[in-house]
Each structure stands twice: as C-alpha cells, then as structure tokens.
Amino acid sequence: MQSSKTLPLDQRFNRCPQCGSHVPVRETYCTACGYPIAAETPAKPKTGTLIRRPTTLPPDQEGNTVFEANAHVLLQFLPSGDCLALPLEYPTFLGRGDGPPDLEFLDLGDFNALKHGVSRLHCRLERRGSCLLIADMGSRNGTYVNNEPLQPHHEKVIASGDRLILGSLHIAVSFSSVR
C-alpha cells in the first residue's frame, strides 16, 4: 500500500466548495471554514442532455369520448413518458409475452409488464363506432380506469385523458387525429 505522502494531491485532499481550501479526504467538514465536505464518487454518472423534446399528450381532447374514424389512440406509459400510437383497426389485446397468433396483440414487456403484474392477456381495446372501449380479460391483478376497477369481461367507454392501470402499470390515454 502506498503511503499518503506518495499519493497524488487529489487523492489525499478534497477541495472545499465554499472557501477552496484543501481538506484531508477523511474529514467531513472543511478545517478552514467548517463547510460540509462530501467525498466525490466517480462511479455516479452525470445527467446527459436529451436529444429530443419530452413527449406530451394533446391537452385539448381531455374528457372527449368521441373517437373519430381517422384517430389513433395514444398510450403514454408513466413515469417513463414513452408513447405508442395505435390505429385500432382491429380489437387489440394488451398483455405480456407472445400473444395468441390469431389476435392483434401489444406486448408490454418493454414497460416492465411482469414486474407490474400485467397478465399475459390482460385487457382489450376496441373501436366500436365512435367510441373506444376497454374490457379486462379476467386478469389476475385487474384493470382500472381513473382508479375505478373494471369488472372482468365488462366493457367501459374510454375518454381522451383517462388514466388506465394494468396491475400497477400506469397508462395515460389520449386520442389523436391523423393529419
């Protein structure tokens, strides 16, 4: 082991952010001014600059239950903010893993679905006329719309701005017209 006399200066001392004095690394307060000293930890990564603007849902449609023929449903997964746009030409089942080959299926595995208690075949989203419907498919941990639990296999109309919870996976819903 090297003695402290042979170690470089930056390994034997920290610099006080208050007064700039050199403080021995074992000290927790500056010996000159009393300011608290935190040892630097090189293993902590620094926050990088985003290369894209954060995605937000359109606020003007909130509470609207009319799901127009040319609209997509936007699902925003929280807290990540990741968004998916679904045209919903056919009923789409949400779950995890490989869905049945004869059904439109959205695998939520990339959103930690297993950790959040999402069932393999959790719920169904379906366009019917000018409405968007959701139905729980008998999932183990349930489906909630705006904190209200759905009865398995009973449909509920979804409005733009509603919040879904699949197990404990939170999803904000919005409608977006295709231009």
Side-chain angles (χ1 to χ4, degrees):
M1 182 172 166
Q2 295 179 331
S3 72
S4 63
K5 293 180 183 178
T6 61
L7 289 175
L9 186 64
D10 64 342
Q11 291 182 11
R12 292 182 284 149
F13 294 96
N14 289 325
R15 193 172 278 280
C16 174
Q18 181 72 22
C19 71
S21 298
H22 289 287
V23 181
V25 292
R26 67 183 178 280
E27 297 293 330
T28 56
Y29 292 91
C30 177
T31 53
C33 70
Y35 192 81
I37 303 294
E40 290 187 28
T41 55
K44 291 184 181 177
K46 296 185 187 247
T47 303
T49 303
L50 292 175
I51 57 172
R52 63 164 177 81
R53 293 179 51 90
T55 306
T56 59
L57 296 175
D60 58 337
Q61 294 288 320
E62 199 161 307
N64 180 18
T65 59
V66 177
F67 188 45
E68 297 175 4
N70 66 339
H72 284 66
V73 63
L74 293 174
L75 303 178
Q76 184 177 37
F77 296 87
L78 306 171
S80 72
D82 290 339
C83 290
L84 291 175
L86 302 174
L88 284 184
E89 295 170 3
Y90 305 100
T92 301
F93 293 82
L94 281 59
R96 60 179 175 79
D98 293 328
D102 55 336
L103 299 175
E104 288 288 320
F105 184 77
L106 178 61
D107 179 9
L108 301 177
D110 288 344
F111 304 101
N112 292 319
L114 180 61
K115 175 183 163 192
H116 287 290
V118 174
S119 294
R120 292 180 195 278
L121 197 63
H122 198 98
C123 67
R124 180 187 79 237
L125 293 175
E126 182 176 351
R127 178 192 303 271
R128 192 169 306 142
S130 63
C131 293
L132 175 63
L133 302 170
I134 187 168
D136 181 88
M137 301 310 297
S139 66
R140 175 170 289 235
N141 295 305
T143 301
Y144 298 79
V145 177
N146 299 326
N147 296 321
E148 295 293 324
L150 293 181
Q151 294 298 316
H153 306 286
H154 286 86
E155 296 175 335
K156 178 169 179 57
V157 174
I158 298 291
S160 189
D162 281 353
R163 302 293 190 256
L164 306 179
I165 304 173
L166 282 55
S168 66
L169 180 63
H170 290 248
I171 305 169
V173 176
S174 182
F175 303 159
S176 175
S177 294
V178 178
R179 291 179 168 75

